[in-house]
Amino acid sequence: MELRIYDQTGGLRAVISPDDSSTQQKAVMGDNTLGVSFTTGEAIPFDVNDYVDFDGERFTLLEDYKPEQNSTVEYVYNCKFYGIESELK
């Protein structure tokens, strides 16, 4: 499966293939989060308000995210995107 991550203006920032450890957590009267883990060969800068549409819902990055650099050719990401419930808090 591929996920498309967009910047706040709707421009495509990245197309990624999430790892198996990626999850959606939805709590009654709580947060709706999408944890996305993936590895790339280049650093992709993400900014606040970048978003991904998943399963009919929009999930937004609420804080800047910098990847972990494992080597000179591998960057590991563990981003957390938040549903509208978190944005309304």
Side-chain angles (χ1 to χ4, degrees):
M1 172 177 61
E2 288 186 338
L3 285 178
R4 295 179 180 275
I5 301 173
Y6 299 92
D7 64 22
Q8 63 184 348
T9 64
L12 183 63
R13 187 172 299 274
V15 178
I16 56 103
S17 295
D19 297 345
D20 290 338
S21 62
S22 299
T23 60
Q24 179 184 8
Q25 294 183 346
K26 196 173 203 176
V28 176
M29 301 295 289
D31 287 334
N32 182 12
T33 61
L34 185 66
V36 180
S37 300
F38 62 97
T39 304
T40 65
E42 61 184 66
I44 304 168
F46 292 122
D47 298 320
V48 172
N49 295 324
D50 285 357
Y51 67 91
V52 60
D53 292 325
F54 176 75
D55 202 22
E57 297 180 80
R58 180 161 291 179
F59 294 86
T60 305
L61 196 62
L62 298 181
E63 55 193 32
D64 286 332
Y65 184 82
K66 303 292 184 236
E68 177 184 324
Q69 187 173 5
N70 272 359
S71 67
T72 57
V73 294
E74 185 176 76
Y75 295 86
V76 177
Y77 290 79
N78 292 303
C79 304
K80 188 177 274 191
F81 292 85
Y82 294 87
I84 190 70
E85 299 86 347
S86 298
E87 292 185 61
L88 296 174
K89 282 185 177 180

